[in-house]
Amino acid sequence: MKKRVGVLALQGDVREHCNAIQKSGGIDSLVRRPDDLKSIDALILPGGESTTIEKLLHIFNLFHPLKEAINAGLPVFGTCAGMILLAREILDGSSDQDSLAAMDITVRRNAFGRQVDSFEKELDLQSIDAGVVTAVFIRAPWIERYGPEVEIIATVQSDSGVHPVLARQGRLLASSFHPEIVVGDRYGVHEFFINKVAS
Ligand code: GLN
């Protein structure tokens, strides 16, 4: 049976994820209210602005229901701002920035610096059967620390070292880049999330 994959639709690039879900064999479903969480098998937290999405999660009374759903085993894929929302700890966040603290990672916001606010990078994702993809990074975070349960799937080298940009912890997946923006027609990271992480 096809999986129903929700996309948190408060802010950010929601439509692109819906398209990627459809192309990856799932059924997309918008999540705006706590009740919307009841009918989904998995959830994507899109890129956008993590401080804004976090505030909207509280305003729409979704923050705690979402945390509970994750604790109860809901598979979640956080992309870019969504990765920040999943992280246990945020560096360079706004002073009162809260997170769902679901994944044992520390992320640094806007980590790749101003001169490379946005860039593309070839990533070898053959270990998850996604081939080699051109990953798009837009004011992207990186993972600066991760716990023993976290598996690093891909890294990017910068002047300051090697930085994890795709990681999995059980039913949780997080990417620094935007997997909903692809060259071609295959959404390999979405396929991995829907068919492997969420099953
Ligand atoms: N820099 C943004 C943030 O802190 C994330 C950017 C993105 O999602 N493309 O939320």
Side-chain angles (χ1 to χ4, degrees), residues 47-51 79-81 84 109-110 138-139 178:
E49 186 53 49
S50 57
T51 52
T79 68
C80 204
I84 298 168
R109 282 179 74 212
N110 305 329
I138 304 168
R139 293 189 352 111
H178 283 258

